[in-house]
Amino acid sequence: MSDSQFTIAIDGPAAAGKGTISKAVAARFGFAHLDTGLLYRAVGRRTLQGLEPIAAAQALTPEELEQGDLRTAEIAKTASKVAVIPEVRAALVDFQRAFARRSGGAVLDGRDIGTVICPEAEVKLFVTASPEVRAERRYLELSAKGSDITREQVLLDVRERDARDAERSAAPMKPAEDAVLLDTSDLSIESALAQAVEVIEKARPAKS
Ligand code: DC
């Protein structure tokens, strides 16, 4: 590891708090952040527009991640479906690995960062929470954006997506053997963040 390379892998299911923790940790340590779910969401959006998923993944550009709203319930579901295709995953590996090892430090959040994309990450966290708590958080997020989806539907979507993400054979969602588990079901954002920061601080090389 060069002095300036330091990768934090944050995996876990939808709406467990990965995104919030990842952004806050990146800001605190001055690291770059990649929400890898956006890659699969962008491929999902292209697929909904009629493209073939493997071709869409191979042609994906970083600019697409910034365009429009990728955080809709429909795109999330399609993202989870295209994410089971090994060739889609393979097309996205190099970009994620290069990002992980960029100089200056990187935080990547997703499902397979600590297991497949960056097993050598200096810090691995697996952030989770009960399906009910996650569904409630996602419901509040989607309704704040004007969606008329019901709580029941969000819980069904969360359970269906968990099952698909965890049971697929290509890079299933699971904690790396050496990941630190962080259950945010009963934690405030502040406490969850404090616990994540503590784990990271322990793994940081001591400054001389
Ligand atoms: O984190 P998210 O909800 O934005 O992810 C959307 C979908 O993308 C998720 O259901 C599964 C897939 N995904 C994946 O397979 N691997 C990742 N590293 C990130 C996301």
Side-chain angles (χ1 to χ4, degrees), residues 122-196:
E122 283 73 20
V123 177
K124 295 176 198 170
L125 289 171
F126 194 86
V127 182
T128 186
S130 72
E132 291 74 16
V133 166
R134 291 187 287 117
E136 181 63 16
R137 289 178 189 160
R138 191 43 56 89
Y139 169 74
L140 295 174
E141 246 172 62
L142 292 170
S143 354
K145 285 200 300 191
S147 163
D148 56 8
I149 196 162
T150 61
R151 281 193 161 80
E152 292 69 30
Q153 187 58 50
V154 177
L155 181 57
L156 281 175
D157 287 354
V158 159
R159 288 191 188 280
E160 186 188 279
R161 204 140 70 89
D162 282 358
R164 200 185 297 116
D165 293 349
E167 286 162 20
R168 67 182 179 221
S169 49
M173 166 175 73
K174 65 171 179 203
E177 272 174 25
D178 51 350
V180 175
L181 298 187
L182 186 56
D183 187 329
T184 67
S185 304
D186 301 316
L187 291 182
S188 65
I189 291 171
E190 292 73 26
S191 326
L193 185 57
Q195 291 193 20

Side-chain angles (χ1 to χ4, degrees), residues 11 14 18 35-38 40-41 71 76 79-80 83 89 96 109-113 138 161 165 168 171:
D11 290 304
K18 294 189 306 289
D35 170 356
T36 64
L38 289 181
Y40 296 90
R41 285 173 183 258
R71 295 177 205 284
S80 163
R89 307 197 69 82
Q96 296 176 80
D109 70 281
R111 304 287 187 288
D112 63 340
I113 309 303
R138 191 43 56 89
R161 204 140 70 89
D165 293 349
R168 67 182 179 221

